[in-house]
Amino acid sequence: MISNTAFMEQLNKYYAVWQEYNYVYEEWAKAHGLSVNSLLVLCAIHDGGDDCTQKKISRRWMIPKQTINMVFKDFERRGFAELFPMPEDKRNKVIRFTKAGKEYADPIISELRKAELSAVEGIGVERMKQLNENMALFVELFGRAGNREAGLNKNILHLS
């Protein structure tokens, strides 16, 4: 059996890689004049279609709604985004790009996706599938252990 020391060594390597992953995105965003939260909100609006709300962005990216609102207000002030009432629930508002916002976001998102796809190509499809499967398994097992420890009985993973 593997000792706890070996497990902790691997867990600490995971933490280091996770922190480096976040740092790479922060630096990429900064190089494009954005905070990482602004970049994530930009991606969420870009990819969100007609169903992009502050609540959904908050859940998906684990960004506080106050932060999303602050980013949205900046985008709104710059003429990049607007709020529209949802047809089925007028209390909730959908965030959409203006024409200027789309013109601003499209090249940034395109460049980001190009860099990400370059990394995926370097990894290869099979290794990328393994990475995704291993991360999903880690999340599932950690979620089970965490729920058991905390006495919770809810799904913690929202990948949609």
Side-chain angles (χ1 to χ4, degrees):
M1 181 166 197
I2 300 175
S3 72
N4 276 347
T5 303
F7 283 133
M8 282 309 301
E9 182 180 319
Q10 290 307 308
L11 189 57
N12 286 330
K13 284 182 181 181
Y14 169 76
Y15 294 153
V17 171
W18 181 30
Q19 290 165 345
E20 190 66 22
Y21 172 88
N22 289 323
Y23 177 77
V24 167
Y25 273 89
E26 286 176 25
E27 289 300 304
W28 195 94
K30 194 184 307 180
H32 292 80
L34 296 163
S35 69
V36 73
N37 286 332
S38 294
L39 176 63
L40 294 174
V41 171
L42 199 70
C43 289
I45 298 169
H46 183 271
D47 298 342
D50 290 335
D51 199 21
C52 182
T53 64
Q54 291 184 18
K55 184 176 182 179
K56 287 182 179 181
I57 296 170
S58 178
R59 258 197 234 141
R60 180 171 185 188
W61 293 106
M62 294 183 298
I63 302 170
K65 281 196 270 186
Q66 290 173 310
T67 302
I68 293 165
N69 190 54
M70 187 176 69
V71 170
F72 167 74
K73 291 293 185 192
D74 179 56
F75 287 164
E76 184 180 46
R77 180 185 56 76
R78 295 165 66 187
F80 293 161
E82 299 174 307
L83 287 177
F84 294 92
M86 292 182 82
E88 64 276 1
D89 181 1
K90 303 278 188 223
R91 292 173 298 147
N92 284 316
K93 307 270 192 270
V94 176
I95 302 172
R96 291 192 190 127
F97 284 132
T98 61
K99 183 179 180 201
K102 186 162 176 37
E103 289 170 359
Y104 171 76
D106 281 351
I108 293 171
I109 302 300
S110 178
E111 188 178 336
L112 176 64
R113 296 297 184 240
K114 185 177 177 182
E116 291 170 327
L117 287 173
S118 176
V120 172
E121 280 181 35
I123 292 171
V125 173
E126 281 308 310
R127 287 177 70 189
M128 193 67 195
K129 284 168 79 173
Q130 290 172 354
L131 174 66
N132 289 330
E133 289 168 4
N134 288 332
M135 287 301 299
L137 180 59
F138 179 89
V139 168
E140 180 183 333
L141 295 173
F142 179 74
R144 280 189 208 159
N147 287 344
R148 185 173 51 242
E149 294 294 321
L152 301 174
N153 187 18
K154 63 181 180 178
N155 183 1
I156 64 163
L157 184 60
H158 303 284
L159 292 176
S160 59

